Amino acid sequence: MLGIILGLIVLMALAYLGWSIIWVAPIAAGVVALTGGLDLLGAYKDTYMGGFVDFAKAWFPVFMLGAIFGKLMENTGMAKSVAVALTKIIGTKRAILGVLVSAAVLTYGGVSLFVVVFAVYPLALTLFREANISRRLIPATVALGAFTFTMTAVPGTPQIQNLIPMDYFKTDPMAAPIMGIIGTIVMAGGGYFYLRWREKKLTNNGETYTEPKDKNMTDEEGNTPNFFLSLLPLISVLVTLNVFKWDIVLALLTGIVLIMLLNLHKFKSFVKAINGGAVGSVTAIINTSAAVGFGTVVKVVPGFDKLTEMLMGIKGNPLISEAVAVNILAGATGSASGGMGIALEALGSKYYDIAMNSGISPEAFHRIASLSSGGLDALPHNGAVLTLLTITGLSHKDSYKDIFVVAVLIPVISVAVAIVFASIGIF
């Protein structure tokens, strides 16, 4: 078991240094294999690559189509149209709420987190400038809308963090809706009130809006598509997935086709958008598959039984041990989907057996896995956090404290609250 812990330390340390998990995960898996008495070459070629390939085979279509959907929404201007309209409706006096809602609507509609950051940031600059709010709160505001409740909690969200648990617990995207809604209220409500409190504190200290060094990121509306038409692809994905119960692949295809039909006059840009989405999806799927491969090696070493015994031995509700496992692994990998992939690949079948024998619904295990993946994942080495800070031109010193509160601390609290409700049969 010490070998497993050592492997996790290697994975976390190298990921924190910014080294790619694509080659860090095999190294960490090698550490686990060697200390666990496995043949190193066999562990890599058969066990590690077996888990890697199985995950990629099952999920690549979803990653690719999701990335293409988001890229088409971005390139056609539909994502910006939705964000612009929502911020106008809410108004500059509630700048934080406007940015938060815009990011949340896009993410819940299936647009990838990275596309949302690019679409919302220029609008955030305009709103924060007019409301005279410090720019250092923009990253945390976008993170709250895109990286938290719409990713893991809102029932029916098509984000991958809500889809991966389905195979392990035989559930659907609407699993444990009450727990999801409770998690949403805690994260969205708690995060919003925290940011408003920070806004007032910074303003009272004399810290207000300052122009960014990069003046190119401005809010130029241009000729954006109609707001209501721009909503249709987002709605189509949600309705086909959750009402008609279509497979996520078909739901995303429906959204993609609808975007193209509504923007036929921009057909020349379709190939560029599709190429960009497809290429971008490859890195995302390989990152997560690499993490899952690590989990596959962990599962076959003798020390895994002791690790399982230790996690399962956590007193109280078994949902607690699941939450601990997913949170720690998400933090170690700096990836919500990667950490959850490792945990469920290694322990998913055991948690499903517990659900079948304990009277706790598999839906509760699904929702806790999803919620937990969005906790410690947003530590400083997380890829989405790094991208967000790069785009906004701010540093960890400037903005990470606020990101930590809304994207790590409050989501972890939401997991605890959801477990309390599940323990009394409310899920």
Side-chain angles (χ1 to χ4, degrees), residues 108-127:
Y108 187 58
V111 179
S112 72
L113 313 181
F114 297 98
V115 170
V116 170
V117 172
F118 281 103
V120 170
Y121 175 57
L123 304 170
L125 283 178
T126 299
L127 289 173

Side-chain angles (χ1 to χ4, degrees), residues 92 95 122-135 138 209-212 214-215 217-219:
T92 56
L123 304 170
L125 283 178
T126 299
L127 289 173
F128 276 56
R129 182 187 298 114
E130 293 186 21
N132 202 25
I133 300 172
S134 173
R135 276 192 309 115
I138 291 179
Y209 184 86
T210 55
E211 289 294 340
D214 182 5
K215 298 292 182 65
M217 295 295 284
T218 56
D219 179 20

Side-chain angles (χ1 to χ4, degrees), residues 170-196:
K170 299 177 174 57
T171 48
D172 61 35
M174 292 293 294
I178 297 176
M179 289 172 65
I181 291 170
I182 290 167
T184 298
I185 293 171
V186 172
M187 282 187 265
Y192 177 67
F193 286 115
Y194 167 79
L195 290 173
R196 287 303 308 272

